[in-house]
Amino acid sequence: MSDRVSVRSLKAEIANLNNSQLEQLFNYIGEMLTVSSFRANLNKDFRESRFSKGEVCPHCQSTYVVKNGNLNGKQRYLCRDCKKSFNDLTKSALSCTKLPIDAWLTYAQGMILGLSIRENAEKIGVCVKTSFYMRHKILDCIRVFMGTGFVDGVVEMDECFIPESYKGNHKKSGFVMPRPSRKRGKQVKKRGISNEQICIVTAIDRNNNIILEPICKGRVTSDALEALYKEHVDSECIICTDSHKSYIQFAKDLELDHKRIMRGRYKNGIYHINHVNSLHSNLKVWMYRFKGVATKFLSNYMAWYKWLQSFNDEKELIRTKNMLIHSVVPFVDTRICSYHGREAVFI
Ligand SMILES: [Zn+2]
């Protein structure tokens, strides 16, 4: 009865709302309905995205897989080749989690909004350490999901530098600093580009396909450029770069059409590097919030930024859902033991 009474009083209140308030209420109800249908379908979406080409064993990639009953409401499978069993979330960001899916949705939303590890921890009621692992479990999977990428057509290329950081390495665990420490997020002392800076190479084409990879310490060489881009740029593409000389040899080796923008100029005919420059300035603004990023996790942050740039036209709710789905698609070992002793990943 009380339900009916409260609905009646709600109706009376709604009748008093003006048009703009009604519109707000309508949007709110729409959002609530979308969220509940998201939740109801999420497990099905995970399964369909992960096994879009049929069921595959996450341990040995065999397709000789049979269904093997349910455990705690989750479908289990058995691999006939390696004899191991698995479920829809084995080797994903969500494997072995004790948290409800709602907490992960809220967490992913916080990551899209750019909340800190601590803020996101408070939001879902976990400790800072758990929040850190949640962030990197998601990012390890997003990094594999995004891959290096592929660019074609007119491609702008450049590089930017982020200070090397040993953040998170503790003396207690036997770590020895190879140089005197800096205050976090502070500029490196050596002038110019030194080995204390990590070089991030970037390529962006006119369809907003992005390659964004930490590649080495200090200046990039043409060999390193070739090793990274060889399989990831179209052989017919036109590359636009600044006057940095590594790109001349690189373009020559891969026989790419090369337009150089000379120092002090903004463009060369219709060719320019404005998009890659603005990508770098936006990246720096976005990175500022982290107050320095451990070099060993830098590739995760680049994948995160690339993901945000690549999936930026959808509504926040859909982006949140997609972030979790993309964290479930690839097979990635996200056990916490794999974080200890991690080295920086350079392509
Ligand atoms: Zn197997």
Side-chain angles (χ1 to χ4, degrees), residues 57 60 79 82:
C57 169
C60 73
C79 171
C82 71

Side-chain angles (χ1 to χ4, degrees), residues 57-62 65 79-84 86:
C57 169
H59 304 291
C60 73
Q61 276 72 52
S62 164
V65 163
C79 171
R80 291 281 191 210
D81 274 324
C82 71
K83 315 283 185 242
K84 287 183 182 168
F86 60 93

Side-chain angles (χ1 to χ4, degrees), residues 172-234:
K172 269 185 280 181
S173 57
F175 176 75
V176 183
M177 262 306 267
R179 56 164 169 76
S181 53
R182 283 192 299 269
K183 284 269 184 279
R184 68 181 63 163
K186 286 279 155 54
Q187 286 297 309
V188 290
K189 290 226 175 73
K190 289 185 187 168
R191 286 169 65 91
I193 306 304
S194 72
N195 278 349
E196 286 187 24
Q197 308 241 39
I198 306 299
C199 178
I200 313 282
V201 288
T202 312
I204 179 169
D205 68 18
R206 298 285 192 252
N207 290 319
N208 209 30
N209 296 309
I210 300 169
I211 295 177
L212 187 67
E213 298 284 345
I215 192 167
C216 57
K217 293 181 187 183
R219 281 267 178 222
V220 67
T221 63
S222 59
D223 286 348
L225 287 171
E226 191 177 329
L228 170 67
Y229 284 132
K230 205 172 176 188
E231 309 288 331
H232 301 277
V233 295
D234 186 65

